[in-house]
Amino acid sequence: MKLSLSEKVKLSCWLSILQFVQKSNTQSNEFLKQYNLNVSKFDMLHHIQENQPITQKELGEKLLLSKGGVSQMIKQFETDGWITRQQKWKEKYISLADRGQELLDSCFFEQSKLQASVFDNLTKQEVVQLAKISKKLMK
């Protein structure tokens, strides 16, 4: 069975996106190492910050992570003093602790600049178009 030309182009596009994400994550992981973070931890802390208080289940759904993966990182974050958990009736809610907020404050701006710089070779119009396409792909 052979792929059609259209399918080959789509596959090539997907592979390019995959390579772009891997390259970007490698650069970010290298930068974030100095903060004892990686892309996954940074992303989770940022999601907690943006949605706090948030349940572990909600966090997993937003990040598309397994229950076990979220649980393991949350336990580590709590041990490191980056988050707090509060029980409200049957739910445990997660929020950033002062230490977690300080950590994000110390690296967020530079990490954001690093990620933004990967689009420097695109025109403003291309970036806007890519943003629209990315949103469409996520639906």
Side-chain angles (χ1 to χ4, degrees):
M1 192 172 234
K2 284 187 168 186
L3 293 177
S4 69
L5 181 58
S6 174
E7 290 168 328
K8 287 179 183 178
V9 170
K10 290 175 184 178
L11 177 62
S12 176
C13 185
W14 177 78
L15 288 170
S16 294
I17 292 169
L18 181 62
Q19 289 172 341
F20 169 79
V21 169
Q22 288 173 335
K23 180 181 175 186
S24 175
N25 283 347
T26 299
Q27 289 173 329
S28 286
N29 283 335
E30 192 61 37
F31 169 76
L32 291 167
K33 221 184 266 186
Q34 64 188 306
Y35 299 96
N36 196 27
L37 291 173
N38 60 32
V39 171
S40 297
K41 291 178 180 179
F42 177 86
D43 191 29
M44 184 176 284
L45 286 173
H46 183 251
H47 270 81
I48 293 168
Q49 178 188 43
E50 293 296 307
N51 300 285
Q52 62 187 333
I54 187 170
T55 66
Q56 191 168 318
K57 181 181 177 187
E58 292 168 334
L59 188 59
E61 288 169 357
K62 285 188 178 293
L63 296 173
L64 306 175
L65 293 173
S66 70
K67 199 174 182 179
V70 173
S71 180
Q72 187 176 1
M73 270 205 273
I74 290 298
K75 285 178 187 175
Q76 185 61 55
F77 286 3
E78 199 168 30
T79 300
D80 292 339
W82 296 347
I83 61 156
T84 59
R85 287 199 258 191
Q86 278 189 325
Q87 183 89 27
K88 290 184 183 175
W89 201 55
K90 290 184 177 183
E91 293 286 345
K92 282 188 180 177
Y93 288 89
I94 302 162
S95 296
L96 280 185
D98 289 344
R99 191 170 178 187
Q101 185 62 57
E102 290 166 6
L103 176 64
L104 269 183
D105 289 345
S106 68
C107 68
F108 187 82
F109 182 70
E110 291 301 320
Q111 170 63 6
S112 298
K113 281 179 28 179
L114 175 68
Q115 285 305 305
S117 73
V118 301
F119 300 101
D120 284 351
N121 63 339
L122 300 179
T123 66
K124 185 176 180 179
Q125 184 180 0
E126 287 172 330
V127 172
V128 170
Q129 186 178 12
L130 181 59
K132 287 178 183 178
I133 292 168
S134 297
K135 285 180 184 174
K136 194 172 182 179
L137 287 172
M138 292 303 292
K139 289 184 178 183

